[in-house]
Amino acid sequence: MFSAILIEKTDAGQTVSIQEIDEARLEGDVTIDVEYSTLNYKDGLAITGKGPVVRKWPMVPGIDLAGTVSASDHPDWKAGDKVVLNGWGVGETHWGGLGQKAKLKGDWLVPLPAAFSPGQAMAIGTAGYTAALCVDALVRYGISPQQGEILVTGATGGVGSVAIALLKKAGFTVVAATGKVAEADYLKSLGAASIIDRAELGTPGKPLQKERWAGVVDTAGSATLANACAQTRYGGAVAACGLAQGADLPASVMPFILRGVALLGVDSVMAPKAKRLAAWDLLARDLDPAALETITTEIGLADAIGAAQKFMDGTVKGRFVVDVNR
């Protein structure tokens, strides 16, 4: 038996509680003793029921986990291996990381980088791993520090926080857009050169606007993404990975056909293993583990249910790391 958060659905609606679960209910070819998980926006939607994230019931939420293999029927893994899981529908269609045990497909796992402890890996989590995918996408496209400033939207969130730190390390000048302008010192401590209010980007604007950004990491979608594209310099690129403002895109083709702007879609859930390994290599090389302390709040498993509501309230700063064993 192990403790886990379990989301159940009845005719009366959704319920969420900590339960003792029989390990025999788990499915997969690699069994993991989970040490840490984390809370992401998607986990917040699942636990609060505010979004259609869960597609199989009942569900143990948690799209991330880090821990130690205790048993394996997969050739790549053996007992004692330290592993990380991000995405692959875990916490949506397959029981996830907000419990003390997990059983997963070995093909979904990557090795825990030696640079990080399990707790630090979860301070990074899908949010930081997604940030690394975005930064890698911009660099691979050819965006360089000499071309100008990089805009990061949703800057105080998990993706934004890690993206700022990675971009600063790579030599970029970063402008952070946030609705929490009181967090300017926090953002500058991560590496932001300046701060703008997200309100400047959050309402519909002209199809083409003054050229400002060499590149963008966008977590918001909707009008924010449309304005970011409209403000991107000739030949620049926008890495889009989120929809915190909305899934719509009230934009025109003008930035793409008149300025050659590239819109780079970044998916973290089903990204192939090669991209995952490249992202974690980037994090291990360029992210200072000490910086994780600035962006991390550690909580216990029982605290995660209440903390999920903070995502819906828009009051999250940085990352929630969940010690599933307390």
Side-chain angles (χ1 to χ4, degrees):
M1 303 291 284
F2 65 96
S3 296
I5 295 175
L6 193 68
I7 306 174
E8 297 177 286
K9 191 173 186 179
T10 66
D11 292 340
Q14 175 174 303
T15 62
V16 186
S17 61
I18 303 287
Q19 295 196 23
E20 292 297 310
I21 298 175
D22 189 337
E23 192 175 334
R25 296 177 69 180
L26 297 174
E27 298 178 351
D29 55 14
V30 179
T31 304
I32 300 161
D33 292 329
V34 182
E35 296 172 50
Y36 289 91
S37 185
T38 182
L39 284 178
N40 295 281
Y41 184 73
K42 187 179 285 185
D43 299 318
L45 290 171
I47 292 170
T48 62
K50 296 293 177 61
V53 171
V54 177
R55 298 194 293 278
K56 183 178 179 182
W57 306 89
M59 178 57 58
V60 175
I63 66 173
D64 292 327
L65 65 83
T68 304
V69 173
S70 59
S72 174
D73 293 322
H74 191 283
D76 290 351
W77 306 106
K78 64 182 185 304
D81 287 342
K82 297 283 189 180
V83 295
V84 174
L85 179 283
N86 307 110
W88 290 118
V90 172
E92 302 174 64
T93 58
H94 189 100
W95 282 14
L98 286 168
Q100 295 171 325
K101 291 272 188 182
K103 202 168 185 181
L104 305 167
K105 293 184 178 181
D107 290 344
W108 294 346
L109 303 172
V110 297
L112 174 70
F116 303 124
S117 69
Q120 289 171 330
M122 289 298 95
I124 296 167
T126 281
Y129 148 65
T130 302
L133 289 172
C134 289
V135 173
D136 192 50
L138 291 176
V139 172
R140 286 178 184 272
Y141 185 77
I143 306 303
S144 66
Q146 295 73 30
Q147 292 172 269
E149 296 175 321
I150 303 292
L151 173 69
V152 176
T153 67
T156 59
V159 176
S161 296
V162 176
I164 290 168
L166 290 175
L167 288 162
K168 171 65 175 177
K169 178 70 173 181
F172 289 96
T173 300
V174 182
V175 177
T178 179
K180 306 181 182 75
V181 291
E183 300 292 349
D185 289 344
Y186 163 74
L187 293 169
K188 288 180 179 178
S189 75
L190 294 175
S194 58
I195 316 297
I196 63 172
D197 194 315
R198 71 180 177 199
E200 294 184 29
L201 300 162
T203 56
K206 294 179 179 179
L208 277 181
Q209 300 170 35
K210 181 180 178 181
E211 296 179 65
R212 300 184 67 180
W213 322 115
V216 179
V217 173
D218 177 66
T219 67
S222 193
T224 296
L225 176 56
N227 287 321
C229 291
Q231 294 174 9
T232 297
R233 294 182 177 188
Y234 190 94
V238 178
C241 66
L243 41 64
Q245 185 180 3
D248 60 319
L249 183 56
S252 81
V253 298
M254 304 293 273
F256 313 114
I257 65 173
L258 295 182
R259 291 183 180 162
V261 171
L263 181 56
L264 309 175
V266 175
D267 164 62
S268 63
V269 176
M270 304 303 289
K273 193 166 186 176
K275 282 192 174 183
R276 293 169 181 268
L277 292 172
W280 279 102
D281 285 347
L282 172 62
L283 290 159
R285 186 185 74 234
D286 287 352
L287 186 63
D288 181 359
L292 296 171
E293 297 178 12
T294 306
I295 68 173
T296 301
T297 301
E298 186 174 309
I299 60 177
L301 189 63
D303 303 316
I305 297 173
Q309 182 60 43
K310 295 182 183 294
F311 286 92
M312 304 301 100
D313 297 338
T315 59
V316 172
K317 181 180 81 172
R319 304 279 296 139
F320 282 116
V321 171
V322 184
D323 180 348
V324 300
N325 295 300
R326 74 169 177 88

